Amino acid sequence: MSKVTFFRGQQLPLEMHKVRIIQKLTLLPVEQRLEAIRAAGHNTFLLQNADVFLDMLTDSGVNAMSQEQQAAMFRADDAYAGSATYTRLYDKLVEVFGMEYFLPAHQGRAAENILGQVLVRPDTAVAMNYHFTTSKQHVVVHGAEVLELIHPDGLKVTSDHPFKGNMDTDALRAVIAERGAEGLSFVRMEAGTNLIGGQPFSLDNLTEVSQICHEHDIPLVLDASLLADNLYFMKIRDPRCVDLEIPAIVKAMADLCDIIYFSARKLGFGRGGGICIRDEAMYKRMRGFVPMFEGFLTYGGMSVREMEAITVGLDETLDFDMINQGPQFIAYMVNELDRRGVPVITPPGGLGAHVDAMRFLDHVDQRQYPAAALASAVFLASGVRGMERGTMSEARDINTGVEPLAHMELVRLALPRRVFTLSQVNYAIDRIDWLYQNRHLVGGMRWVEEPEILRFFYGRLEPIGDWTTRLVEQFRADFGDSL
């Protein structure tokens, strides 16, 4: 493991890389942070990056590139068709996943659009270990429903289960028995369940899901966007994988699936995406949607420079020293917050540290969006931009107006790969600790502007009462002239 033990025996993560390019950051005074979050409608997606100190909104498209990736971008072949860049990316994907057919797309949700167009049938369902916002939307708009069949431990906020992202295979069998195989358009497994703390699934679980799907001739689709984190946890937690090299684990996973799609904004440390397909007939069913929605078949809406970077990034995803830094930093942050009493999702997962807003703000009604309120409060206390992953991220039924309450109310503090230093992580921990000590000051939120589709991206809220002002006043009283 790439860790070093020092300082009275405490284990601290050790980066297996050095920083060679930097970006200057700005830490605004707390009063200016209040102005900024008000202007953003208390939606951290709408903050200007110039007003953000540490951007922990997401790991999507903001991971640091290596020198090898930067160098590869200079050899990009920008031919509209027949590009050598495409051939290099295609060859790498065949090497990694072993699937003969590939369709490029500009990012993961573009791949989901194509999957929805081809695979989703009205009045059926798509079974998932857990949904992601865009994956669910692409199912719903085609007249189907999403069935979340997460392992029972998956929705336990605190647990020592190593694979909380596992699908409940008994529930999958029961759904097939009730609805018939024709009642499922496909089964989707997400490597690293984003919305419940980046929790992984095991190879045994994927194997069992695959056996059930193939027994009933149901396509098994793997969302590999967060594959790197899932691979890390398989390598250190899964008895079947501890003695395997990372490429062998990937191949074992891929052999169980019919289709693998991904956002290269996460997988491969670049920007883009695509769909790997095992069956030629399925490939031909999907192929026409690429020039319709994305671009020609050999670039699919991606920059060829990014395609070269992804090709190298896929190699780096197979390097344990490259993929372990993110989960180790996350584990450090989660464990430190937990040690200070701050409620977090355990065990530490991938993507980021996830703070449990339901326990953090147990005095705020869930219908007042505690995760959204906490995300605003974290920004006020620290200049750190996190993301609401709770009821605000759900979708109100456009026919009935009913708003489903999320299973969890989380604030995700993403740690993009190879970006932050340990001192920056410690700063975030310290400010969140202060906020927890003053949590009684934080109140709820209500809508000012509520879009019908994917409202969490661009909707606007306002605080109920003047709690943001009181929080700023307490910050200034405790920290004085400190930012």
Side-chain angles (χ1 to χ4, degrees):
M1 301 300 167
S2 296
K3 287 187 175 181
V4 62
T5 303
F6 65 98
F7 189 63
R8 299 176 184 172
Q10 182 184 11
Q11 280 197 317
L12 298 179
L14 176 65
E15 300 94 327
M16 298 303 292
H17 60 266
K18 64 180 180 180
V19 177
R20 298 186 63 188
I21 299 176
I22 64 166
Q23 176 183 357
K24 189 176 185 298
L25 299 174
T26 301
L27 178 54
L28 297 178
V30 65
E31 292 81 7
Q32 292 183 32
R33 297 200 291 267
L34 178 57
E35 294 175 7
I37 197 67
R38 282 174 174 168
H42 293 273
N43 183 344
T44 55
F45 273 98
L46 301 182
L47 283 167
Q48 297 298 308
N49 193 50
D51 296 332
V52 173
F53 176 46
L54 301 178
D55 193 356
M56 297 183 176
L57 183 77
T58 182
D59 68 335
S60 181
V62 292
N63 298 293
M65 285 189 182
S66 67
Q67 62 185 7
E68 287 77 17
Q69 287 182 286
Q70 292 282 335
M73 293 171 77
F74 284 99
R75 69 172 182 174
D77 177 3
D78 61 359
Y80 184 89
S83 166
T85 290
Y86 170 81
T87 301
R88 283 189 282 270
L89 176 58
Y90 169 81
D91 289 345
K92 180 57 62 179
L93 286 164
V94 172
E95 174 190 331
V96 171
F97 293 123
M99 293 185 175
E100 186 175 349
Y101 303 99
F102 171 66
L103 292 172
H106 76 270
Q107 64 183 87
R109 68 199 56 175
E112 289 174 337
N113 174 50
I114 295 171
L115 292 172
Q117 298 278 351
V118 174
L119 292 181
V120 178
R121 303 186 307 277
D123 301 318
T124 65
V126 174
M128 304 182 181
N129 53 345
Y130 207 75
H131 82 278
F132 182 62
T133 49
T134 57
S135 61
K136 183 175 183 177
Q137 192 67 37
H138 282 295
V139 171
V140 172
V141 297
H142 288 97
E145 66 174 315
V146 169
L147 301 177
E148 293 175 333
L149 306 182
I150 192 68
H151 184 280
D153 266 69
L155 298 181
K156 292 181 181 178
V157 177
T158 58
S159 170
D160 58 2
H161 195 292
F163 293 106
K164 289 166 64 176
N166 280 353
M167 179 173 280
D168 185 337
T169 50
D170 290 337
L172 178 59
R173 289 189 180 93
V175 166
I176 295 171
E178 177 187 349
R179 299 178 177 231
E182 65 279 2
L184 291 180
S185 286
F186 62 92
V187 172
R188 172 184 175 270
M189 287 289 284
E190 182 178 347
T193 44
N194 191 314
L195 297 185
I196 57 173
Q199 298 295 318
F201 59 73
S202 69
L203 186 56
D204 277 345
N205 185 248
L206 183 64
T207 300
E208 189 173 0
V209 171
S210 176
Q211 290 170 346
I212 295 169
C213 287
H214 294 146
E215 178 185 344
H216 296 280
D217 199 26
I218 301 170
L220 176 56
V221 177
L222 173 66
D223 180 349
S225 301
L226 292 173
L227 179 65
D229 292 344
N230 211 104
L231 288 169
Y232 169 81
F233 291 118
M234 283 179 160
K235 177 68 176 173
I236 67 169
R237 296 178 184 174
D238 192 334
R240 279 188 62 186
C241 299
V242 290
D243 294 326
L244 296 177
E245 297 299 324
I246 297 296
I249 301 173
V250 176
K251 191 62 168 56
M253 295 173 71
D255 286 348
L256 297 169
C257 302
D258 300 298
I259 295 169
I260 297 175
Y261 78 95
F262 60 93
S263 169
R265 297 179 69 86
K266 298 179 184 290
L267 179 67
F269 315 110
R271 292 161 188 81
I275 309 171
C276 299
I277 308 160
R278 188 172 305 284
D279 179 68
E280 182 181 11
M282 181 65 70
Y283 164 77
K284 289 182 176 179
R285 287 178 64 194
M286 294 184 182
R287 180 174 56 184
F289 291 100
V290 173
M292 181 182 294
F293 291 113
E294 299 296 308
F296 190 64
L297 291 173
T298 55
Y299 73 94
M302 282 189 280
S303 156
V304 287
R305 289 169 59 84
E306 294 289 352
M307 292 168 71
E308 293 283 5
I310 295 165
T311 303
V312 176
L314 288 167
D315 263 335
E316 293 174 1
T317 301
L318 303 179
D319 180 351
F320 186 75
D321 281 340
M322 281 297 200
I323 65 173
N324 65 11
Q325 185 257 343
Q328 288 180 0
F329 265 52
I330 292 165
Y332 173 82
M333 188 173 188
V334 167
N335 292 335
E336 282 297 303
L337 288 170
D338 186 53
R339 186 174 66 83
R340 298 171 188 226
V342 178
V344 288
I345 294 289
T346 59
L351 208 161
H354 293 76
V355 181
D356 179 13
M358 293 264 256
R359 286 184 293 156
F360 199 113
L361 302 178
D362 58 6
H363 57 284
V364 176
D365 188 281
Q366 192 175 3
R367 292 172 179 80
Q368 295 179 357
Y369 310 104
L374 183 55
S376 286
V378 167
F379 177 74
L380 288 174
S382 63
V384 173
R385 171 162 62 171
M387 183 190 294
E388 187 274 355
R389 297 277 71 166
T391 296
M392 184 182 171
S393 293
E394 295 291 334
R396 191 183 297 274
D397 190 301
I398 60 174
N399 297 314
T400 66
V402 173
E403 178 182 54
L405 298 179
H407 292 125
M408 293 181 176
E409 294 285 341
L410 306 179
V411 172
R412 185 181 77 195
L413 301 167
L415 293 181
R417 295 154 189 83
R418 308 180 294 200
V419 171
F420 295 124
T421 66
L422 201 58
S423 66
Q424 291 169 334
V425 173
N426 280 323
Y427 166 84
I429 292 168
D430 180 77
R431 290 301 190 264
I432 293 167
D433 182 15
W434 173 86
L435 183 60
Y436 186 61
Q437 307 311 316
N438 292 275
R439 61 192 180 278
H440 63 282
L441 295 173
V442 181
M445 291 285 186
R446 60 189 167 215
W447 287 106
V448 173
E449 178 187 350
E450 181 185 359
E452 288 187 357
I453 297 175
L454 297 174
R455 61 186 185 174
F456 69 93
F457 274 134
Y458 48 96
R460 291 178 175 271
L461 305 113
E462 64 181 5
I464 298 171
D466 63 349
W467 65 261
T468 54
T469 300
R470 289 185 287 112
L471 186 67
V472 167
E473 291 171 350
Q474 187 63 53
F475 181 94
R476 184 56 70 203
D478 288 351
F479 288 101
D481 292 334
S482 170
L483 298 177

